[in-house]
Amino acid sequence: MLIHDAIALFIEGYFSTCKRSDKTKAAYTTDLAQFRLRFNEDRDLDSIRADELEEWARALTDEGYAAVSVRRKFASLKVFFGYWVRKGVVASSPLWRIRLDLAREQKLPRNIPLADATRLLQAAWVRMSSERCNTKVQRDAPFLASRNLAALEILFATGMRVGELVSLRLSDWNEDEQSIHVKGKGGRHRLAFLTDQRSLAALAEYLPRRRKVLCGHESLFVNLAGGPLSTQGVARVLTGLAAEAGITMRLTPHMVRHTVATLLLRNGADIRVVQEVLGHSSIAMTQRYTHVSKEHLRETLQMRHPSHHMAIDRQAGAHSL
């Protein structure tokens, strides 16, 4: 089978039987398109050799691709070749005969300082209050202010991914339980709870306005055109509110998620609970945040430990021994 036929049939067949997100499908499509360009689309799939794939990995690294990106591309290839091994098209996968020795990047998640997070939320509430009271503003302004406030409060209350936020439907909100049904990565579902009065008040402010929007779909968060709010739209909201709050750091929605995780651990939440809140498939993913909390623990001990406040003359003590 030729490479270009194998890729087209794989995309059609694999994603029709395996439940994967559109984002995952797009990533596989991109990775396999690069593979096709590298190895000539008219070449037989079973002619691909392990040493050629190793050379491609080195070339990607030389071109400046991060180790995590190279690993992802080869993970896509592993699934791709495994699919055709199961179909009997190729006898074995060339990836079984290679090992990628790529150093894992230990990047700590970037957080929003607590003072900046407080100012950000305050800016959203101030905007909501001013638009509610000002009768001269455009008709759309109160809707946008309430939508932005509700989106931001839900992100901070639940730590959900921005993609999960924009995928929420009106029916996902359970008012009796004060919970949100979240459809997470890999088809995993979980409940996110709004446990503070502020986020509940923000959602209560927004929902009546949203239900007046007749747009032919059930997305919880919508844009002014009536379509579902995009992840880029949420990012722009965050940037605008940060500017109003006088925050110079570049903020992203994912930083809100990191901040929630860090603060939960810092305030004593069990790591298994944090794993469930964030929707991590593995506890190892949640453990990344313990590094940040360890730094906080060290700083707290340095400032608060009794030994730093005991006026002991160590030199005098040494003479008495």
Side-chain angles (χ1 to χ4, degrees), residues 159-178:
M160 70 174 64
R161 301 174 179 91
V162 65
E164 296 168 344
L165 179 81
V166 299
S167 297
L168 294 177
R169 300 168 63 84
L170 284 166
S171 57
D172 289 327
W173 167 240
N174 186 323
E175 188 170 0
D176 292 336
E177 295 183 356
Q178 297 180 340

Side-chain angles (χ1 to χ4, degrees), residues 1-11 29 31-49 52-53 56 77 80-81 83-84 89-90 94:
M1 182 180 291
L2 301 182
I3 287 178
H4 67 84
D5 291 331
I7 292 174
L9 291 171
F10 167 79
I11 295 296
T29 303
D31 295 337
L32 292 173
Q34 284 188 281
F35 167 71
R36 184 181 67 227
L37 289 173
R38 173 76 182 190
F39 290 96
N40 185 354
E41 62 180 17
D42 294 323
R43 181 175 168 179
D44 284 333
L45 184 63
D46 59 4
S47 70
I48 301 298
R49 303 190 312 274
E52 293 178 294
L53 292 172
W56 187 35
L77 280 181
F80 171 68
F81 275 102
Y83 178 86
W84 289 117
V89 172
V90 295

Side-chain angles (χ1 to χ4, degrees), residues 139-161:
R139 182 184 61 183
D140 297 330
F143 172 80
L144 287 179
S146 66
R147 182 204 68 184
N148 297 347
L149 175 62
L152 187 61
E153 283 286 3
I154 288 176
L155 282 177
F156 270 105
T158 66
M160 70 174 64
R161 301 174 179 91

Side-chain angles (χ1 to χ4, degrees), residues 18-224:
C18 294
K19 194 172 183 180
R20 298 289 187 271
S21 69
D22 291 339
K23 187 175 180 180
T24 299
K25 183 177 180 180
Y28 272 70
T29 303
T30 299
D31 295 337
L32 292 173
Q34 284 188 281
F35 167 71
R36 184 181 67 227
L37 289 173
R38 173 76 182 190
F39 290 96
N40 185 354
E41 62 180 17
D42 294 323
R43 181 175 168 179
D44 284 333
L45 184 63
D46 59 4
S47 70
I48 301 298
R49 303 190 312 274
D51 62 311
E52 293 178 294
L53 292 172
E54 289 177 338
E55 177 59 33
W56 187 35
R58 286 191 291 270
L60 289 170
T61 301
D62 291 341
E63 290 170 20
Y65 282 90
V68 65
S69 298
V70 179
R71 278 196 299 271
R72 192 202 72 186
K73 295 180 190 304
F74 276 74
S76 299
L77 280 181
K78 182 178 180 180
V79 175
F80 171 68
F81 275 102
Y83 178 86
W84 289 117
V85 169
R86 292 192 300 275
K87 294 286 186 180
V89 172
V90 295
S92 64
S93 168
L95 287 146
W96 295 346
R97 295 184 289 277
I98 68 174
R99 177 181 175 182
L100 293 180
D101 188 16
L102 298 170
R104 291 194 173 271
E105 299 167 339
Q106 297 295 328
K107 289 186 177 180
L108 292 178
R110 293 182 63 218
N111 305 310
I112 304 173
L114 185 57
D116 285 347
T118 302
R119 289 161 58 195
L120 185 70
L121 288 165
Q122 184 63 32
W125 278 102
V126 168
R127 170 63 62 181
M128 178 68 254
S129 298
S130 63
E131 302 295 14
R132 186 195 295 140
C133 300
N134 191 348
T135 58
K136 297 181 180 180
V137 298
Q138 295 180 352
R139 182 184 61 183
D140 297 330
F143 172 80
L144 287 179
S146 66
R147 182 204 68 184
N148 297 347
L149 175 62
L152 187 61
E153 283 286 3
I154 288 176
L155 282 177
F156 270 105
T158 66
M160 70 174 64
R161 301 174 179 91
V162 65
E164 296 168 344
L165 179 81
V166 299
S167 297
L168 294 177
R169 300 168 63 84
L170 284 166
S171 57
D172 289 327
W173 167 240
N174 186 323
E175 188 170 0
D176 292 336
E177 295 183 356
Q178 297 180 340
S179 66
I180 302 171
H181 177 220
V182 182
K183 293 174 279 294
K185 293 175 68 174
R188 294 183 295 274
H189 294 235
R190 69 183 188 278
L191 288 179
F193 294 92
L194 302 186
T195 59
D196 63 292
Q197 291 304 311
R198 201 182 58 220
S199 60
L200 289 168
L203 188 58
E205 181 79 38
Y206 171 66
L207 279 174
R209 302 176 192 273
R210 166 61 185 92
R211 291 189 173 115
K212 291 178 183 178
V213 179
L214 303 177
C215 50
H217 60 81
E218 289 294 301
S219 293
L220 176 59
F221 292 106
V222 299
N223 56 34
L224 282 181

